[in-house]
Amino acid sequence: MTHLGNYKLVFLGDQAVGKTSIITCFMYGNFDTNYQATIGIDFLSKTMRHEDTTFRLQLWDTAGQERFKSLIPILNSSHNDVDKQSFINASKWIEDVHAERGNQVIIALVGNKTDLVHRRQVSIEEGDTKARELGALFIETSAKAGFNIKPLFCKIASALQGTE
Ligand code: GDP
Ligand code: MG
């Protein structure tokens, strides 16, 4: 058994896209339909196992309003409003991280809320293409359905193994 860590996983993206829900699903296996705005930033520690390697992870949740300093969109919208803007904005988040950290960082573009099948805004191909352009991994998830949450972290773990 190999042990790797301490990796920092930072969740960035617009408000209400499901950052906190993905972390909660991964950590505790549950889902809360009530929207609770994340205040400030904090992290949770988690040890995960992937292919005979244990990873010590720090999951950093963020509030999302650093860039768009307004709570008005979330106050005015129902919690499951989905639009394409968060996908467009994801590019900006990723470009910011590249500008800050160069290529010394693994980035995963996550398309969450796949359970809202009739309200899909971004095709898989579009997500995949965008991720490739931005040098990011790509995966679709649903924190609500518990879909692809573990695989998301495994994908990141595999990429981390490649850097060791
Ligand atoms: P954050 O602001 O990015 O941390 O987003 P939250 O995790 O707080 O989620 C915002 C809202 O979207 C909450 O009401 C969640 O219950 C809901 N939500 C999060 N993930 C999903 C999902 O996969 N599917 C559905 N249908 N709703 C989700
Ligand atoms: Mg949050």
Side-chain angles (χ1 to χ4, degrees):
M1 180 76 75
T2 315
H3 301 276
L4 295 178
N6 223 345
Y7 295 105
K8 227 187 235 182
L9 247 74
V10 184
F11 289 76
L12 299 171
D14 288 9
Q15 290 167 69
V17 293
K19 300 180 294 298
T20 301
S21 297
I22 289 172
I23 293 173
T24 304
C25 181
F26 182 58
M27 291 289 295
Y28 314 114
N30 57 21
F31 177 77
D32 186 355
T33 39
N34 297 312
Y35 180 74
Q36 289 211 303
T38 307
I39 307 298
I41 179 163
D42 47 22
F43 75 85
L44 295 166
S45 293
K46 168 98 173 169
T47 302
M48 76 170 278
R49 199 173 151 175
H50 174 68
E51 292 175 353
D52 263 20
T53 304
T54 58
F55 293 85
R56 185 101 190 119
L57 305 174
Q58 281 182 5
L59 309 184
W60 289 76
D61 199 0
T62 66
Q65 63 265 44
E66 293 87 339
R67 174 188 288 278
F68 309 99
K69 289 196 184 354
S70 169
L71 278 169
I72 290 163
I74 187 63
L75 295 175
N76 286 344
S77 64
S78 104
H79 63 257
N80 266 330
D81 271 1
V82 283
D83 66 42
K84 202 166 177 170
Q85 198 55 43
S86 65
F87 174 72
I88 295 163
N89 292 341
S91 301
K92 299 186 201 138
W93 288 102
I94 293 174
E95 282 161 7
D96 279 5
V97 172
H98 276 311
E100 196 77 27
R101 302 299 295 266
N103 291 323
Q104 303 288 74
V105 66
I106 290 162
I107 297 174
L109 176 63
V110 181
N112 190 41
K113 307 198 185 184
T114 57
D115 57 286
L116 301 173
V117 278
H118 300 299
R119 290 151 70 190
R120 176 179 279 277
Q121 306 286 314
V122 179
S123 71
I124 295 176
E125 295 69 34
E126 218 175 336
D128 205 45
T129 303
K130 181 57 73 184
R132 222 179 299 236
E133 272 171 29
L134 294 165
L137 305 167
F138 177 66
I139 191 165
E140 290 195 336
T141 61
S142 165
K144 184 171 185 177
F147 168 70
N148 260 358
I149 300 298
K150 185 80 198 290
L152 160 64
F153 289 87
C154 286
K155 218 175 169 94
I156 295 167
S158 293
L160 288 171
Q161 279 175 318
T163 65
E164 287 298 313

